Amino acid sequence: MQDLTFGGASGIIVLVAYAAVMLLIGYFAGRGQPNVRESVKSYYLAGGGLGFVALFFTLYATQYSGNTVIGYAPTAYRTGFPWLQSIMFMTFIIGAYLVFAPRLYAVAKRESFVTPADWIRHRFRSTAVTLLAVLLMLWGIGNYLLEQLVAIGQGISGLTGDTVPYQLGVILFVVVMLAYAWMGGMRAVALTDVMQGIALLVGVMVLLGGSLYLIGGSLGDATQYLIQNEPEKAQVPPLDVSVNWLSLVLMVGFGAAVYPHAIQRIYAAESERTLKRSLAGMAWMPPITTGLVFVVGIIGISLFPNLGESESEQLVGMIANEVAAINIFFYIMMILLFGGIVAAIVSTADSALLSFSSMISRDLYARHINPDASEARQVLVGKLWGIVAIAVLLVIAWNPPGTLYSIFVLKFELIVQVAPSFILGLYWKRLSSWPVFFGMLVGAMVAGGMTLFGIGTVYGVHGGVIGLALNLAICVVGSLVIPATKEEAARAERSAELSVR
Amino acid sequence: MHKRPKGDRPVKEPIRKPWIWVVMAIILLAAIPWYLPGGTVSPIILGMPYWAFISLVFSLSLCAYLSWLCLYEWDVVEEEEERARADAKREE
């Protein structure tokens, strides 16, 4: 990834400081809730009592990761102004939440849900549907976690000028992450997210300030440069780019909102009022996060013209090197930015890991392996399987299995297939379990198959969206052909009643 | 229609109001430059191509609209919860 000329000893100091703060937060979060080892709800959902600040930042840190800076600036560099779409697709996540979160929140509070599959079990009473959903979510979130682990290693080796080897960096930070999550569960994850989210936000703002300083302070100049040298990046894009834009908005919006850890944040809110306020605030975060990163990428075009695809991936590092050379203030700020990027990746990884553990311990272990297990034992099993999962993922990350590697890219395509069971299931009492099962299966196979065979989009529409459309069609047509029985429909209606008691 | 078990405020759930989604679709479609002539750049507004400015204005409208919806068009169990909370406080 980045070759940072300013990295090295100071980078190590910042990383150690960040790690120490995370551990301290975890320690105090654990002390603040004595039953965190004995109660599933306490460990995985902070007892369903996250307040506004913690909920807001944990939503923020979960939706925005290191890739939001490291990956999106180069995309803006290569795409030009059409990458404005990154503001829109991050905003639309809130629109997708509005489709189902109001009702899901009420039901989850009443029924004390812990994992996303709890809703599916409660609504469909079908082991096949629930297990398939759990497997899709585990597979998807496992790969998502793998991506974050690789990024942590790259971030750390970049920031420390390779003085800390990639493998060692990952292991050290994973140990820190596991330690604070073990001590304080979801509350520790959410409180460290506050620190990590602020670090990312401040870093992005300083990166933008430094980039503007480098080009003499005017975005207009960057635009003029673009129009003269690479006009296609400034012109109204062709129609297929627009179709792709809309497809991405829908896919990211619904996908990010139904990620298991995103759903568990609905469960963890202390009240509807808190959840509403946090989401209302989140709606304003894309312009000041992906929006600013977009501007950095556009400025990058005039700072470092004509980079190839792989060179452009280094863009944030290149800009940071130039900015750090301005003066000591910017130097310190760039160190903090990259520390913040690492922290942001960790904050996304910890949410994914906690969600992964909760599904293993609740949906597989307590449900199918040892139904008599105490809650304390369930928490312990979740923790231990979390370690096993991380170990397996690290082995994969360091020894990528050649030809099979593409099955480890399937994340989003699989997870988004559970969306109909949540969204249609909440509002349409006629939706019955078998169509949901086959819809999920076919949708996952089509979307996954397209990804495996390298067919990214058809006429600008993403494979995930095509799979989801098929999935929806099977759910709807299947439920119309073989409707739910009267009892099933009545039960479905009861299962989604709007009351918390 | 679901009614509140007890309470005087009507339940507000965004999914039940079609106009909410129609407005959202209009904003989404207006923010994507599919309806503008391909390959055009000028005029430049605030340092960006005119279409990017239009797109940005609608993107920000989407932020404002969604934020407003969360606060004012979503009221399902808040009253019930806040009352329970007030009762719990009184008992203390």
PDB file of all heavy atoms in Angstrom, chain A residues 91 103 105 223 234-236 271-273 276 280 283-284 498-501, chain B residues 13 16 39-41 47 51 63 66-67 74 76-78 80-81 84-85:
ATOM      1  N   THR A  91     -25.369   8.117   1.844  1.00  0.00           N
ATOM      2  CA  THR A  91     -26.551   8.753   2.427  1.00  0.00           C
ATOM      3  C   THR A  91     -27.757   7.827   2.356  1.00  0.00           C
ATOM      4  O   THR A  91     -28.551   7.740   3.294  1.00  0.00           O
ATOM      5  CB  THR A  91     -26.885  10.066   1.669  1.00  0.00           C
ATOM      6  OG1 THR A  91     -25.709  10.851   1.587  1.00  0.00           O
ATOM      7  CG2 THR A  91     -27.963  10.857   2.386  1.00  0.00           C
ATOM      8  N   ARG A 103     -40.035  -0.463  12.400  1.00  0.00           N
ATOM      9  CA  ARG A 103     -40.812  -1.599  12.893  1.00  0.00           C
ATOM     10  C   ARG A 103     -39.908  -2.646  13.541  1.00  0.00           C
ATOM     11  O   ARG A 103     -40.239  -3.201  14.573  1.00  0.00           O
ATOM     12  CB  ARG A 103     -41.611  -2.220  11.754  1.00  0.00           C
ATOM     13  CG  ARG A 103     -42.514  -3.330  12.241  1.00  0.00           C
ATOM     14  CD  ARG A 103     -43.526  -3.743  11.219  1.00  0.00           C
ATOM     15  NE  ARG A 103     -44.444  -2.668  10.884  1.00  0.00           N
ATOM     16  CZ  ARG A 103     -45.652  -2.887  10.401  1.00  0.00           C
ATOM     17  NH1 ARG A 103     -46.092  -4.112  10.227  1.00  0.00           N
ATOM     18  NH2 ARG A 103     -46.430  -1.873  10.082  1.00  0.00           N
ATOM     19  N   TYR A 105     -37.187  -2.244  15.118  1.00  0.00           N
ATOM     20  CA  TYR A 105     -36.778  -1.804  16.453  1.00  0.00           C
ATOM     21  C   TYR A 105     -37.828  -2.198  17.491  1.00  0.00           C
ATOM     22  O   TYR A 105     -37.515  -2.769  18.536  1.00  0.00           O
ATOM     23  CB  TYR A 105     -36.541  -0.285  16.488  1.00  0.00           C
ATOM     24  CG  TYR A 105     -36.346   0.202  17.902  1.00  0.00           C
ATOM     25  CD1 TYR A 105     -35.130   0.064  18.545  1.00  0.00           C
ATOM     26  CD2 TYR A 105     -37.424   0.709  18.640  1.00  0.00           C
ATOM     27  CE1 TYR A 105     -34.966   0.433  19.868  1.00  0.00           C
ATOM     28  CE2 TYR A 105     -37.274   1.085  19.963  1.00  0.00           C
ATOM     29  CZ  TYR A 105     -36.036   0.939  20.572  1.00  0.00           C
ATOM     30  OH  TYR A 105     -35.884   1.285  21.884  1.00  0.00           O
ATOM     31  N   THR A 223     -10.375  21.748 -11.255  1.00  0.00           N
ATOM     32  CA  THR A 223     -11.390  21.476 -12.272  1.00  0.00           C
ATOM     33  C   THR A 223     -10.905  21.921 -13.657  1.00  0.00           C
ATOM     34  O   THR A 223     -11.060  21.185 -14.643  1.00  0.00           O
ATOM     35  CB  THR A 223     -12.703  22.199 -11.929  1.00  0.00           C
ATOM     36  OG1 THR A 223     -13.076  21.834 -10.602  1.00  0.00           O
ATOM     37  CG2 THR A 223     -13.810  21.821 -12.876  1.00  0.00           C
ATOM     38  N   ALA A 234     -14.672  15.250 -16.276  1.00  0.00           N
ATOM     39  CA  ALA A 234     -15.432  16.418 -15.824  1.00  0.00           C
ATOM     40  C   ALA A 234     -16.765  16.543 -16.552  1.00  0.00           C
ATOM     41  O   ALA A 234     -17.645  17.284 -16.124  1.00  0.00           O
ATOM     42  CB  ALA A 234     -14.611  17.691 -16.042  1.00  0.00           C
ATOM     43  N   GLN A 235     -16.918  15.801 -17.669  1.00  0.00           N
ATOM     44  CA  GLN A 235     -18.141  15.945 -18.464  1.00  0.00           C
ATOM     45  C   GLN A 235     -19.293  15.134 -17.870  1.00  0.00           C
ATOM     46  O   GLN A 235     -19.076  14.226 -17.068  1.00  0.00           O
ATOM     47  CB  GLN A 235     -17.884  15.445 -19.895  1.00  0.00           C
ATOM     48  CG  GLN A 235     -16.920  16.323 -20.668  1.00  0.00           C
ATOM     49  CD  GLN A 235     -16.413  15.620 -21.911  1.00  0.00           C
ATOM     50  OE1 GLN A 235     -16.580  14.416 -22.065  1.00  0.00           O
ATOM     51  NE2 GLN A 235     -15.772  16.380 -22.794  1.00  0.00           N
ATOM     52  N   VAL A 236     -20.516  15.481 -18.312  1.00  0.00           N
ATOM     53  CA  VAL A 236     -21.677  14.655 -17.971  1.00  0.00           C
ATOM     54  C   VAL A 236     -21.375  13.232 -18.437  1.00  0.00           C
ATOM     55  O   VAL A 236     -21.029  13.027 -19.594  1.00  0.00           O
ATOM     56  CB  VAL A 236     -22.948  15.179 -18.670  1.00  0.00           C
ATOM     57  CG1 VAL A 236     -24.113  14.206 -18.466  1.00  0.00           C
ATOM     58  CG2 VAL A 236     -23.323  16.560 -18.152  1.00  0.00           C
ATOM     59  N   SER A 271     -33.353   3.565  23.024  1.00  0.00           N
ATOM     60  CA  SER A 271     -34.758   3.918  22.818  1.00  0.00           C
ATOM     61  C   SER A 271     -34.964   4.332  21.364  1.00  0.00           C
ATOM     62  O   SER A 271     -34.005   4.609  20.646  1.00  0.00           O
ATOM     63  CB  SER A 271     -35.159   5.081  23.721  1.00  0.00           C
ATOM     64  OG  SER A 271     -34.529   6.269  23.283  1.00  0.00           O
ATOM     65  N   GLU A 272     -36.219   4.376  20.952  1.00  0.00           N
ATOM     66  CA  GLU A 272     -36.525   4.812  19.584  1.00  0.00           C
ATOM     67  C   GLU A 272     -36.028   6.232  19.364  1.00  0.00           C
ATOM     68  O   GLU A 272     -35.489   6.560  18.315  1.00  0.00           O
ATOM     69  CB  GLU A 272     -38.033   4.739  19.343  1.00  0.00           C
ATOM     70  CG  GLU A 272     -38.430   5.138  17.944  1.00  0.00           C
ATOM     71  CD  GLU A 272     -39.929   5.055  17.721  1.00  0.00           C
ATOM     72  OE1 GLU A 272     -40.445   3.941  17.610  1.00  0.00           O
ATOM     73  OE2 GLU A 272     -40.580   6.105  17.693  1.00  0.00           O
ATOM     74  N   ARG A 273     -36.209   7.067  20.388  1.00  0.00           N
ATOM     75  CA  ARG A 273     -35.796   8.464  20.259  1.00  0.00           C
ATOM     76  C   ARG A 273     -34.299   8.553  19.968  1.00  0.00           C
ATOM     77  O   ARG A 273     -33.864   9.308  19.088  1.00  0.00           O
ATOM     78  CB  ARG A 273     -36.140   9.214  21.556  1.00  0.00           C
ATOM     79  CG  ARG A 273     -35.899  10.694  21.457  1.00  0.00           C
ATOM     80  CD  ARG A 273     -36.322  11.407  22.713  1.00  0.00           C
ATOM     81  NE  ARG A 273     -37.783  11.469  22.858  1.00  0.00           N
ATOM     82  CZ  ARG A 273     -38.379  12.131  23.841  1.00  0.00           C
ATOM     83  NH1 ARG A 273     -37.669  12.759  24.761  1.00  0.00           N
ATOM     84  NH2 ARG A 273     -39.696  12.174  23.917  1.00  0.00           N
ATOM     85  N   LYS A 276     -33.553   7.288  16.332  1.00  0.00           N
ATOM     86  CA  LYS A 276     -33.947   8.293  15.346  1.00  0.00           C
ATOM     87  C   LYS A 276     -32.924   9.411  15.251  1.00  0.00           C
ATOM     88  O   LYS A 276     -32.520   9.825  14.171  1.00  0.00           O
ATOM     89  CB  LYS A 276     -35.278   8.937  15.771  1.00  0.00           C
ATOM     90  CG  LYS A 276     -36.466   8.140  15.363  1.00  0.00           C
ATOM     91  CD  LYS A 276     -37.739   8.452  16.066  1.00  0.00           C
ATOM     92  CE  LYS A 276     -38.025   9.840  16.516  1.00  0.00           C
ATOM     93  NZ  LYS A 276     -39.403   9.908  17.071  1.00  0.00           N
ATOM     94  N   ALA A 280     -30.621  10.362  12.140  1.00  0.00           N
ATOM     95  CA  ALA A 280     -30.786  11.700  11.558  1.00  0.00           C
ATOM     96  C   ALA A 280     -29.426  12.391  11.439  1.00  0.00           C
ATOM     97  O   ALA A 280     -29.148  13.079  10.451  1.00  0.00           O
ATOM     98  CB  ALA A 280     -31.737  12.542  12.408  1.00  0.00           C
ATOM     99  N   ALA A 283     -27.263  10.900   8.557  1.00  0.00           N
ATOM    100  CA  ALA A 283     -27.634  11.323   7.200  1.00  0.00           C
ATOM    101  C   ALA A 283     -26.745  12.468   6.719  1.00  0.00           C
ATOM    102  O   ALA A 283     -26.611  12.690   5.517  1.00  0.00           O
ATOM    103  CB  ALA A 283     -29.102  11.738   7.159  1.00  0.00           C
ATOM    104  N   TRP A 284     -26.126  13.201   7.647  1.00  0.00           N
ATOM    105  CA  TRP A 284     -25.272  14.328   7.268  1.00  0.00           C
ATOM    106  C   TRP A 284     -23.797  13.960   7.188  1.00  0.00           C
ATOM    107  O   TRP A 284     -22.966  14.792   6.824  1.00  0.00           O
ATOM    108  CB  TRP A 284     -25.450  15.489   8.256  1.00  0.00           C
ATOM    109  CG  TRP A 284     -26.754  16.182   8.067  1.00  0.00           C
ATOM    110  CD1 TRP A 284     -27.865  16.090   8.862  1.00  0.00           C
ATOM    111  CD2 TRP A 284     -27.113  17.066   6.993  1.00  0.00           C
ATOM    112  NE1 TRP A 284     -28.880  16.855   8.341  1.00  0.00           N
ATOM    113  CE2 TRP A 284     -28.445  17.466   7.200  1.00  0.00           C
ATOM    114  CE3 TRP A 284     -26.420  17.552   5.871  1.00  0.00           C
ATOM    115  CZ2 TRP A 284     -29.109  18.339   6.340  1.00  0.00           C
ATOM    116  CZ3 TRP A 284     -27.087  18.419   5.014  1.00  0.00           C
ATOM    117  CH2 TRP A 284     -28.411  18.799   5.254  1.00  0.00           C
ATOM    118  N   LEU A 498     -46.767  -3.484  16.455  1.00  0.00           N
ATOM    119  CA  LEU A 498     -46.011  -2.295  16.839  1.00  0.00           C
ATOM    120  C   LEU A 498     -46.196  -1.954  18.308  1.00  0.00           C
ATOM    121  O   LEU A 498     -46.963  -1.071  18.657  1.00  0.00           O
ATOM    122  CB  LEU A 498     -46.486  -1.093  16.019  1.00  0.00           C
ATOM    123  CG  LEU A 498     -46.169  -1.148  14.534  1.00  0.00           C
ATOM    124  CD1 LEU A 498     -46.696   0.073  13.845  1.00  0.00           C
ATOM    125  CD2 LEU A 498     -44.678  -1.260  14.327  1.00  0.00           C
ATOM    126  N   SER A 499     -45.513  -2.675  19.149  1.00  0.00           N
ATOM    127  CA  SER A 499     -45.558  -2.333  20.559  1.00  0.00           C
ATOM    128  C   SER A 499     -44.300  -2.896  21.170  1.00  0.00           C
ATOM    129  O   SER A 499     -43.759  -3.880  20.689  1.00  0.00           O
ATOM    130  CB  SER A 499     -46.785  -2.954  21.216  1.00  0.00           C
ATOM    131  OG  SER A 499     -46.637  -2.863  22.619  1.00  0.00           O
ATOM    132  N   VAL A 500     -43.793  -2.239  22.215  1.00  0.00           N
ATOM    133  CA  VAL A 500     -42.583  -2.786  22.809  1.00  0.00           C
ATOM    134  C   VAL A 500     -42.893  -3.738  23.960  1.00  0.00           C
ATOM    135  O   VAL A 500     -42.005  -4.264  24.595  1.00  0.00           O
ATOM    136  CB  VAL A 500     -41.621  -1.679  23.309  1.00  0.00           C
ATOM    137  CG1 VAL A 500     -40.856  -1.098  22.148  1.00  0.00           C
ATOM    138  CG2 VAL A 500     -42.358  -0.620  24.074  1.00  0.00           C
ATOM    139  N   ARG A 501     -44.193  -3.906  24.255  1.00  0.00           N
ATOM    140  CA  ARG A 501     -44.523  -4.829  25.363  1.00  0.00           C
ATOM    141  C   ARG A 501     -45.353  -6.011  24.894  1.00  0.00           C
ATOM    142  O   ARG A 501     -46.156  -5.880  24.010  1.00  0.00           O
ATOM    143  CB  ARG A 501     -45.316  -4.078  26.427  1.00  0.00           C
ATOM    144  CG  ARG A 501     -44.419  -3.120  27.168  1.00  0.00           C
ATOM    145  CD  ARG A 501     -45.175  -2.405  28.241  1.00  0.00           C
ATOM    146  NE  ARG A 501     -44.679  -1.054  28.328  1.00  0.00           N
ATOM    147  CZ  ARG A 501     -45.202  -0.174  29.162  1.00  0.00           C
ATOM    148  NH1 ARG A 501     -46.198  -0.506  29.939  1.00  0.00           N
ATOM    149  NH2 ARG A 501     -44.707   1.043  29.212  1.00  0.00           N
TER     150      ARG A 501
ATOM    151  N   GLU B  13     -45.193   5.760  10.653  1.00  0.00           N
ATOM    152  CA  GLU B  13     -44.218   4.808  10.144  1.00  0.00           C
ATOM    153  C   GLU B  13     -43.975   5.153   8.673  1.00  0.00           C
ATOM    154  O   GLU B  13     -44.919   5.133   7.878  1.00  0.00           O
ATOM    155  CB  GLU B  13     -44.802   3.392  10.277  1.00  0.00           C
ATOM    156  CG  GLU B  13     -43.754   2.333  10.345  1.00  0.00           C
ATOM    157  CD  GLU B  13     -44.336   0.936  10.409  1.00  0.00           C
ATOM    158  OE1 GLU B  13     -45.568   0.763  10.352  1.00  0.00           O
ATOM    159  OE2 GLU B  13     -43.544   0.009  10.491  1.00  0.00           O
ATOM    160  N   ARG B  16     -45.621   3.549   5.469  1.00  0.00           N
ATOM    161  CA  ARG B  16     -47.063   3.628   5.177  1.00  0.00           C
ATOM    162  C   ARG B  16     -47.454   4.871   4.394  1.00  0.00           C
ATOM    163  O   ARG B  16     -48.621   5.065   4.096  1.00  0.00           O
ATOM    164  CB  ARG B  16     -47.845   3.622   6.483  1.00  0.00           C
ATOM    165  CG  ARG B  16     -47.782   2.267   7.121  1.00  0.00           C
ATOM    166  CD  ARG B  16     -48.808   2.201   8.187  1.00  0.00           C
ATOM    167  NE  ARG B  16     -48.227   1.538   9.329  1.00  0.00           N
ATOM    168  CZ  ARG B  16     -48.701   1.671  10.547  1.00  0.00           C
ATOM    169  NH1 ARG B  16     -49.716   2.471  10.763  1.00  0.00           N
ATOM    170  NH2 ARG B  16     -48.148   1.022  11.537  1.00  0.00           N
ATOM    171  N   GLY B  39     -21.336  14.632 -22.231  1.00  0.00           N
ATOM    172  CA  GLY B  39     -20.153  15.310 -22.731  1.00  0.00           C
ATOM    173  C   GLY B  39     -20.100  16.807 -22.476  1.00  0.00           C
ATOM    174  O   GLY B  39     -19.129  17.461 -22.846  1.00  0.00           O
ATOM    175  N   THR B  40     -21.131  17.393 -21.857  1.00  0.00           N
ATOM    176  CA  THR B  40     -21.080  18.842 -21.601  1.00  0.00           C
ATOM    177  C   THR B  40     -20.459  19.121 -20.232  1.00  0.00           C
ATOM    178  O   THR B  40     -20.550  18.306 -19.317  1.00  0.00           O
ATOM    179  CB  THR B  40     -22.490  19.466 -21.635  1.00  0.00           C
ATOM    180  OG1 THR B  40     -23.336  18.702 -20.758  1.00  0.00           O
ATOM    181  CG2 THR B  40     -23.085  19.418 -23.024  1.00  0.00           C
ATOM    182  N   VAL B  41     -19.818  20.289 -20.105  1.00  0.00           N
ATOM    183  CA  VAL B  41     -19.132  20.652 -18.870  1.00  0.00           C
ATOM    184  C   VAL B  41     -19.588  22.032 -18.366  1.00  0.00           C
ATOM    185  O   VAL B  41     -19.854  22.219 -17.178  1.00  0.00           O
ATOM    186  CB  VAL B  41     -17.596  20.713 -19.074  1.00  0.00           C
ATOM    187  CG1 VAL B  41     -16.904  21.149 -17.798  1.00  0.00           C
ATOM    188  CG2 VAL B  41     -17.063  19.368 -19.521  1.00  0.00           C
ATOM    189  N   GLY B  47     -16.589  26.404  -8.959  1.00  0.00           N
ATOM    190  CA  GLY B  47     -15.407  25.585  -9.205  1.00  0.00           C
ATOM    191  C   GLY B  47     -15.682  24.173  -9.668  1.00  0.00           C
ATOM    192  O   GLY B  47     -14.781  23.349  -9.711  1.00  0.00           O
ATOM    193  N   TRP B  51     -23.178  20.215 -13.969  1.00  0.00           N
ATOM    194  CA  TRP B  51     -23.960  19.010 -13.640  1.00  0.00           C
ATOM    195  C   TRP B  51     -23.555  18.466 -12.276  1.00  0.00           C
ATOM    196  O   TRP B  51     -24.373  17.924 -11.535  1.00  0.00           O
ATOM    197  CB  TRP B  51     -23.818  17.942 -14.719  1.00  0.00           C
ATOM    198  CG  TRP B  51     -22.444  17.355 -14.831  1.00  0.00           C
ATOM    199  CD1 TRP B  51     -21.439  17.781 -15.656  1.00  0.00           C
ATOM    200  CD2 TRP B  51     -21.920  16.260 -14.087  1.00  0.00           C
ATOM    201  NE1 TRP B  51     -20.319  17.011 -15.456  1.00  0.00           N
ATOM    202  CE2 TRP B  51     -20.588  16.074 -14.499  1.00  0.00           C
ATOM    203  CE3 TRP B  51     -22.448  15.408 -13.107  1.00  0.00           C
ATOM    204  CZ2 TRP B  51     -19.760  15.081 -13.977  1.00  0.00           C
ATOM    205  CZ3 TRP B  51     -21.636  14.420 -12.582  1.00  0.00           C
ATOM    206  CH2 TRP B  51     -20.296  14.261 -13.014  1.00  0.00           C
ATOM    207  N   CYS B  63     -29.665  14.293   2.035  1.00  0.00           N
ATOM    208  CA  CYS B  63     -29.224  14.284   3.446  1.00  0.00           C
ATOM    209  C   CYS B  63     -30.271  14.982   4.316  1.00  0.00           C
ATOM    210  O   CYS B  63     -30.683  14.464   5.354  1.00  0.00           O
ATOM    211  CB  CYS B  63     -27.891  15.022   3.612  1.00  0.00           C
ATOM    212  SG  CYS B  63     -26.527  14.321   2.696  1.00  0.00           S
ATOM    213  N   LEU B  66     -33.687  12.964   4.453  1.00  0.00           N
ATOM    214  CA  LEU B  66     -33.638  11.749   5.276  1.00  0.00           C
ATOM    215  C   LEU B  66     -33.529  12.099   6.759  1.00  0.00           C
ATOM    216  O   LEU B  66     -34.146  11.472   7.616  1.00  0.00           O
ATOM    217  CB  LEU B  66     -32.463  10.864   4.857  1.00  0.00           C
ATOM    218  CG  LEU B  66     -32.607  10.187   3.494  1.00  0.00           C
ATOM    219  CD1 LEU B  66     -31.324   9.485   3.095  1.00  0.00           C
ATOM    220  CD2 LEU B  66     -33.765   9.195   3.515  1.00  0.00           C
ATOM    221  N   SER B  67     -32.747  13.135   7.031  1.00  0.00           N
ATOM    222  CA  SER B  67     -32.575  13.568   8.416  1.00  0.00           C
ATOM    223  C   SER B  67     -33.922  14.038   8.979  1.00  0.00           C
ATOM    224  O   SER B  67     -34.309  13.685  10.095  1.00  0.00           O
ATOM    225  CB  SER B  67     -31.544  14.699   8.422  1.00  0.00           C
ATOM    226  OG  SER B  67     -31.232  15.047   9.723  1.00  0.00           O
ATOM    227  N   TRP B  74     -41.186   9.524  11.968  1.00  0.00           N
ATOM    228  CA  TRP B  74     -40.948   8.209  12.570  1.00  0.00           C
ATOM    229  C   TRP B  74     -41.341   8.325  14.033  1.00  0.00           C
ATOM    230  O   TRP B  74     -40.690   8.997  14.818  1.00  0.00           O
ATOM    231  CB  TRP B  74     -39.479   7.848  12.402  1.00  0.00           C
ATOM    232  CG  TRP B  74     -39.031   6.619  13.126  1.00  0.00           C
ATOM    233  CD1 TRP B  74     -39.740   5.817  13.979  1.00  0.00           C
ATOM    234  CD2 TRP B  74     -37.732   6.042  13.051  1.00  0.00           C
ATOM    235  NE1 TRP B  74     -38.960   4.784  14.431  1.00  0.00           N
ATOM    236  CE2 TRP B  74     -37.719   4.900  13.876  1.00  0.00           C
ATOM    237  CE3 TRP B  74     -36.561   6.384  12.359  1.00  0.00           C
ATOM    238  CZ2 TRP B  74     -36.586   4.095  14.025  1.00  0.00           C
ATOM    239  CZ3 TRP B  74     -35.441   5.590  12.516  1.00  0.00           C
ATOM    240  CH2 TRP B  74     -35.466   4.452  13.345  1.00  0.00           C
ATOM    241  N   VAL B  76     -43.125   5.469  16.368  1.00  0.00           N
ATOM    242  CA  VAL B  76     -43.818   4.190  16.498  1.00  0.00           C
ATOM    243  C   VAL B  76     -44.055   3.847  17.965  1.00  0.00           C
ATOM    244  O   VAL B  76     -45.193   3.716  18.407  1.00  0.00           O
ATOM    245  CB  VAL B  76     -43.035   3.057  15.791  1.00  0.00           C
ATOM    246  CG1 VAL B  76     -43.734   1.725  16.001  1.00  0.00           C
ATOM    247  CG2 VAL B  76     -42.910   3.362  14.308  1.00  0.00           C
ATOM    248  N   VAL B  77     -42.986   3.726  18.724  1.00  0.00           N
ATOM    249  CA  VAL B  77     -43.159   3.317  20.130  1.00  0.00           C
ATOM    250  C   VAL B  77     -42.555   4.343  21.087  1.00  0.00           C
ATOM    251  O   VAL B  77     -42.426   4.081  22.267  1.00  0.00           O
ATOM    252  CB  VAL B  77     -42.510   1.938  20.391  1.00  0.00           C
ATOM    253  CG1 VAL B  77     -43.302   0.839  19.704  1.00  0.00           C
ATOM    254  CG2 VAL B  77     -41.067   1.918  19.959  1.00  0.00           C
ATOM    255  N   GLU B  78     -42.216   5.497  20.543  1.00  0.00           N
ATOM    256  CA  GLU B  78     -41.521   6.477  21.384  1.00  0.00           C
ATOM    257  C   GLU B  78     -42.349   6.859  22.608  1.00  0.00           C
ATOM    258  O   GLU B  78     -41.861   6.870  23.731  1.00  0.00           O
ATOM    259  CB  GLU B  78     -41.186   7.734  20.573  1.00  0.00           C
ATOM    260  CG  GLU B  78     -40.332   8.685  21.370  1.00  0.00           C
ATOM    261  CD  GLU B  78     -39.868   9.893  20.565  1.00  0.00           C
ATOM    262  OE1 GLU B  78     -40.020   9.895  19.326  1.00  0.00           O
ATOM    263  OE2 GLU B  78     -39.353  10.821  21.181  1.00  0.00           O
ATOM    264  N   GLU B  80     -44.751   5.266  24.098  1.00  0.00           N
ATOM    265  CA  GLU B  80     -44.845   4.143  25.026  1.00  0.00           C
ATOM    266  C   GLU B  80     -43.548   4.035  25.847  1.00  0.00           C
ATOM    267  O   GLU B  80     -43.580   3.875  27.068  1.00  0.00           O
ATOM    268  CB  GLU B  80     -45.019   2.886  24.164  1.00  0.00           C
ATOM    269  CG  GLU B  80     -45.600   1.705  24.871  1.00  0.00           C
ATOM    270  CD  GLU B  80     -45.694   0.517  23.914  1.00  0.00           C
ATOM    271  OE1 GLU B  80     -45.809   0.716  22.673  1.00  0.00           O
ATOM    272  OE2 GLU B  80     -45.631  -0.606  24.407  1.00  0.00           O
ATOM    273  N   GLU B  81     -42.417   4.146  25.149  1.00  0.00           N
ATOM    274  CA  GLU B  81     -41.123   4.024  25.826  1.00  0.00           C
ATOM    275  C   GLU B  81     -40.885   5.153  26.796  1.00  0.00           C
ATOM    276  O   GLU B  81     -40.445   4.937  27.926  1.00  0.00           O
ATOM    277  CB  GLU B  81     -39.994   4.036  24.783  1.00  0.00           C
ATOM    278  CG  GLU B  81     -39.801   2.717  24.098  1.00  0.00           C
ATOM    279  CD  GLU B  81     -38.592   2.759  23.178  1.00  0.00           C
ATOM    280  OE1 GLU B  81     -38.279   3.843  22.657  1.00  0.00           O
ATOM    281  OE2 GLU B  81     -37.978   1.701  22.997  1.00  0.00           O
ATOM    282  N   ALA B  84     -42.967   4.768  29.846  1.00  0.00           N
ATOM    283  CA  ALA B  84     -42.430   3.724  30.724  1.00  0.00           C
ATOM    284  C   ALA B  84     -41.220   4.249  31.480  1.00  0.00           C
ATOM    285  O   ALA B  84     -41.033   3.977  32.663  1.00  0.00           O
ATOM    286  CB  ALA B  84     -42.034   2.505  29.894  1.00  0.00           C
ATOM    287  N   ARG B  85     -40.413   5.045  30.781  1.00  0.00           N
ATOM    288  CA  ARG B  85     -39.224   5.591  31.415  1.00  0.00           C
ATOM    289  C   ARG B  85     -39.606   6.580  32.524  1.00  0.00           C
ATOM    290  O   ARG B  85     -39.022   6.576  33.608  1.00  0.00           O
ATOM    291  CB  ARG B  85     -38.393   6.308  30.352  1.00  0.00           C
ATOM    292  CG  ARG B  85     -37.003   6.612  30.808  1.00  0.00           C
ATOM    293  CD  ARG B  85     -36.271   7.322  29.727  1.00  0.00           C
ATOM    294  NE  ARG B  85     -35.958   6.422  28.628  1.00  0.00           N
ATOM    295  CZ  ARG B  85     -34.870   6.578  27.872  1.00  0.00           C
ATOM    296  NH1 ARG B  85     -34.051   7.569  28.101  1.00  0.00           N
ATOM    297  NH2 ARG B  85     -34.620   5.754  26.896  1.00  0.00           N
TER     298      ARG B  85
END
